Amino acid sequence: MLFSSMTFVYIFMPVVCCLYILARNDVRNYLLLIASIIFYAWGEPSYLAIMIATILVNYIGANYIYRSKNDRHRKQILYLSVLVNLGFLFYFKYFNFVIDNINGIFDMDAKFIDVIMPIGISFYTFQAMSYLIDVYRREVPAQRDLCKLALYITLFPQLVAGPIVKYHDIAEQIDKRSVTFEKVSYGIKRFIIGLAKKMLLANTLGAVADKIFSQPVEQFDVSTAWLGAIAYSLQLYYDFSGYSDMAIGLGMIFGFKFLENFNYPYISKSITEFWRRWHISLSTWFKEYLYIPLGGNRISSSRTYLNLFIVFLATGFWHGASWNFIFWGLWHGIFIIFEKASGWHNKNGGILLAAAHHVYTILIFVLGWVMFRADTMGYAWNYLKNMFGGMSNTQSLYEIAYYIDNIEIMAFLVATFCAMPFCKNMINIKYEYKVMRTLVNIWLIILFVLSSATIAASTYNPFIYFRF
């Protein structure tokens, strides 16, 4: 089920929210668990068994780890449980990729079953592993109530595309949380903003990017190539941050406070800063559960650089079973290591230096998004060459006006403006500012009506991160 569907917006969400608000505190977790299972099974009921298996493996493993006094046994069970989690993830997400590469390397044509990846498996697998590791580190007790652990792993607001909620951030909220008018009001507003990001900006800009990236590279010129890259950069930001906004808003309605997943990443002045602002839940997950255990920056410089290389290799591979994502992860890792070695991200200066840093950062992540968007590395490489005039045989079939109309130009301008923190506190207007608060509420109603009309007129439009 999609957040950006009439079924969810006008049936599922209102019904679940009303039942939840009216329910007694002692049944709210069960209500949310049932709703989450229905939400996930709506689109892929056959893969519900994989999620149930994940819940049981982590429930049994964590309870054994918590009760055991033998450190060696605790570590063995941790490794075994993590291996089972990664085994599920590997089989459903990477099996086809590995077989295809083996066939390519050895010029074989081995045939195996074509494995289809369950939606959200990357996200709920990482959440399950965070629970295991937190219990192993004695940061939290093992959850004795199977239903509460199941709720943590299946909670539908962030189930299929994040943010990745670490167990130690939410453990107390699973047991005790409150629902207030202020939280529900904020949650609804945040959901509307996320819905508008998806329907009015991401989908509009995505139409521009799709037109260009669907063409052979030889059939458009330099300006069109840059238009496609920038359109996709904005589409991806508003698509993913829109989903995160909706997830955080829904969580707030149910009394949960999820950590922010985006903090205006496109204003960054270094790639290091970019990753502190982009997909924060994933970058902090890798920091806490991979980078620091590897040694972080507490050891030699060369080992620190190796640790960063491993983290960004894993980041790329987490995003998808494709060489595009691996090279995209390494692309960012190279610049993270460069900035760490040179101290680039810590250099302060005047306006000109800050502007130069900002331009450098935009250039790096926009070029990186080309790799992220392209279907193959060959296409990505030729696309990047085209952006810098390196394709001598290009012949544009269409004028640039074919790829973008007036409405899409307006979406570009709005998206660029909103990528900067000018309206950061729009939905947190103080109570005493009644006129401003009223204007904001009217504007949100207009956004909701426009978004609903767009949903009704559109076809199936899943979020980009559903495929990860």
Side-chain angles (χ1 to χ4, degrees):
M1 193 182 300
L2 293 173
F3 285 173
S4 54
S5 68
M6 298 298 280
T7 302
F8 182 86
V9 173
Y10 285 98
I11 300 176
F12 184 85
M13 184 177 74
V15 170
V16 172
C17 290
C18 289
L19 289 175
Y20 184 85
I21 291 171
L22 295 173
R24 301 196 316 268
N25 288 337
D26 58 339
V27 300
R28 282 177 170 173
N29 279 346
Y30 299 106
L31 175 63
L32 273 186
L33 178 58
I34 293 170
S36 298
I37 292 172
I38 293 172
F39 175 86
Y40 190 78
W42 188 272
E44 291 193 9
S46 59
Y47 287 108
L48 189 60
I50 305 303
M51 183 183 291
I52 293 173
T54 299
I55 293 167
L56 292 175
V57 166
N58 290 280
Y59 177 78
I60 295 169
N63 275 280
Y64 184 91
I65 289 170
Y66 189 70
R67 290 197 307 268
S68 177
K69 305 299 182 183
N70 187 311
D71 287 341
R72 187 168 68 89
H73 289 170
R74 293 177 69 248
K75 186 172 292 187
Q76 288 173 344
I77 296 299
L78 172 68
Y79 290 163
L80 178 61
S81 301
V82 168
L83 189 62
V84 172
N85 280 291
L86 293 178
F88 286 144
L89 184 61
F90 172 82
Y91 177 73
F92 287 101
K93 188 169 183 176
Y94 302 106
F95 182 80
N96 293 337
F97 173 72
V98 172
I99 295 301
D100 290 343
N101 279 275
I102 290 174
N103 284 339
I105 292 170
F106 296 102
D107 195 22
M108 298 166 53
D109 190 24
K111 298 292 185 182
F112 291 88
I113 186 173
D114 190 27
V115 180
I116 300 175
M117 186 182 73
I119 289 177
I121 191 170
S122 298
F123 290 91
Y124 71 69
T125 298
F126 268 36
Q127 290 200 178
M129 289 196 297
S130 93
Y131 166 67
L132 272 174
I133 298 169
D134 288 348
V135 171
Y136 173 79
R137 292 174 174 175
R138 304 289 192 191
E139 294 181 7
V140 293
Q143 180 57 257
R144 298 177 64 86
D145 188 330
L146 179 60
C147 289
K148 288 182 178 179
L149 178 63
L151 176 63
Y152 162 68
I153 293 176
T154 66
L155 190 59
F156 78 86
Q158 39 67 237
L159 172 61
V160 293
I164 301 171
V165 179
K166 296 182 289 295
Y167 187 75
H168 62 253
D169 289 332
I170 202 174
E172 293 183 3
Q173 298 178 49
I174 292 174
D175 290 324
K176 185 179 180 181
R177 58 189 181 276
S178 61
V179 177
T180 64
F181 175 80
E182 289 75 17
K183 288 181 179 180
V184 173
S185 175
Y186 175 86
I188 292 172
K189 292 175 182 178
R190 189 72 181 265
F191 181 88
I192 292 173
I193 288 174
L195 185 64
K197 281 184 176 182
K198 165 63 176 172
M199 300 309 303
L200 304 181
L201 293 178
N203 285 5
T204 304
L205 296 168
V208 178
D210 289 346
K211 282 183 190 176
I212 297 171
F213 277 90
S214 64
Q215 301 279 348
V217 177
E218 299 80 13
Q219 294 182 3
F220 51 84
D221 58 14
V222 173
S223 59
T224 304
W226 277 98
L227 174 64
I230 295 171
Y232 181 70
S233 299
L234 291 170
Q235 177 202 2
L236 182 62
Y237 170 60
Y238 285 103
D239 190 280
F240 193 18
S241 69
Y243 185 96
S244 294
D245 284 336
M246 285 187 268
I248 291 169
L250 286 168
M252 188 64 75
I253 291 172
F254 301 127
F256 290 99
K257 184 176 182 180
F258 301 147
L259 299 180
E260 294 294 332
N261 208 23
F262 289 88
N263 183 21
Y264 297 96
Y266 287 175
I267 67 170
S268 302
K269 296 182 178 64
S270 68
I271 297 301
T272 302
E273 181 185 356
F274 174 83
W275 277 99
R276 291 173 184 157
R277 294 175 175 272
W278 175 274
H279 204 343
I280 299 169
S281 63
L282 179 66
S283 57
T284 55
W285 195 99
F286 274 118
K287 179 181 178 181
E288 291 184 26
Y289 301 118
L290 183 59
Y291 180 66
I292 292 175
L294 286 172
N297 59 1
R298 304 186 305 275
I299 42 184
S300 66
S301 296
S302 58
R303 182 58 188 274
T304 298
Y305 304 148
L306 176 62
N307 293 342
L308 288 169
F309 180 87
I310 293 171
V311 166
F312 279 91
L313 175 64
T315 300
F317 203 45
W318 178 88
H319 277 83
S322 167
W323 287 107
N324 294 51
F325 297 117
I326 293 172
F327 280 108
W328 169 78
L330 293 177
W331 170 259
H332 279 264
I334 288 168
F335 287 97
I336 290 282
I337 292 170
F338 159 73
E339 292 173 5
K340 186 79 172 176
S342 64
W344 172 281
H345 61 296
N346 292 323
K347 290 179 180 178
N348 296 315
I351 295 176
L352 290 179
L353 183 60
H357 281 200
H358 189 48
V359 171
Y360 144 81
T361 305
I362 292 174
L363 180 64
I364 298 308
F365 68 66
V366 168
L367 297 181
W369 290 140
V370 172
M371 302 180 211
F372 200 88
R373 173 60 176 79
D375 292 329
T376 66
M377 272 309 299
Y379 185 92
W381 174 243
N382 288 330
Y383 194 107
L384 291 169
K385 286 199 298 183
N386 195 354
M387 291 175 70
F388 293 95
M391 296 286 291
S392 58
N393 59 337
T394 56
Q395 185 176 3
S396 297
L397 295 182
Y398 307 101
E399 297 291 334
I400 199 166
Y402 166 78
Y403 297 102
I404 186 167
D405 59 26
N406 290 335
I407 292 177
E408 290 161 347
I409 290 172
M410 185 180 298
F412 255 100
L413 295 176
V414 173
T416 302
F417 178 81
C418 292
M420 295 176 280
F422 297 124
C423 304
K424 186 175 182 179
N425 297 314
M426 184 177 71
I427 62 175
N428 293 318
I429 300 296
K430 297 292 185 182
Y431 181 79
E432 57 265 23
Y433 301 126
K434 293 183 179 180
V435 174
M436 182 62 70
R437 192 179 68 256
T438 301
L439 291 175
V440 168
N441 289 340
I442 293 172
W443 176 238
L444 288 171
I445 292 170
I446 294 171
L447 287 180
F448 182 71
V449 171
L450 291 174
S451 299
S452 297
T454 307
I455 293 172
S458 64
T459 55
Y460 181 70
N461 50 78
F463 291 84
I464 293 173
Y465 262 67
F466 273 23
R467 62 186 175 127
F468 306 137

